Amino acid sequence: MLRCTVKFCGGCNPRYDRGEAYQTVRTSLADVADFSYPEDGVHYDVLLIIRGCTGCPYLYEEIDADHRVIMDSADSIPEAIRTIRQLA
């Protein structure tokens, strides 16, 4: 199982329901990935960054993760799922 964590952007300009998007990703990947919120000093296989729009450049580099997968719209959900599944 992949050890995954998630970070949401600040939400200044959300254009879709980011919480619902996260639930869709978690449910779709339940067989290959365990998601949790980030903890200091923990290494993750994947950091899922859920942005509300395309304007946020922050990559949360303080979180130790081998891969960063970025979602910036509801349309990017399937690609995020495919990418994480391929890493498993």
Side-chain angles (χ1 to χ4, degrees):
M1 292 288 262
L2 290 173
R3 175 179 259 176
C4 302
T5 191
V6 64
K7 277 299 275 188
F8 291 84
C9 71
C12 65
N13 192 21
R15 297 182 180 175
Y16 65 109
D17 186 332
R18 295 172 301 144
E20 183 178 306
Y22 177 49
Q23 290 302 333
T24 299
V25 171
R26 284 182 59 187
T27 301
S28 298
L29 295 170
D31 60 326
V32 297
D34 286 325
F35 281 88
S36 65
Y37 292 108
E39 296 178 38
D40 289 340
V42 176
H43 174 79
Y44 298 95
D45 298 309
V46 177
L47 166 58
L48 175 63
I49 300 171
I50 302 179
R51 298 174 175 168
C53 66
T54 59
C56 178
Y58 198 51
L59 294 176
Y60 303 96
E61 293 175 356
E62 70 278 7
I63 297 173
D64 181 18
D66 291 333
H67 304 277
R68 282 168 167 64
V69 176
I70 299 170
M71 292 174 26
D72 58 13
S73 69
D75 292 340
S76 62
I77 295 169
E79 180 62 27
I81 292 169
R82 273 192 301 276
T83 298
I84 296 170
R85 188 167 291 283
Q86 288 174 349
L87 294 170

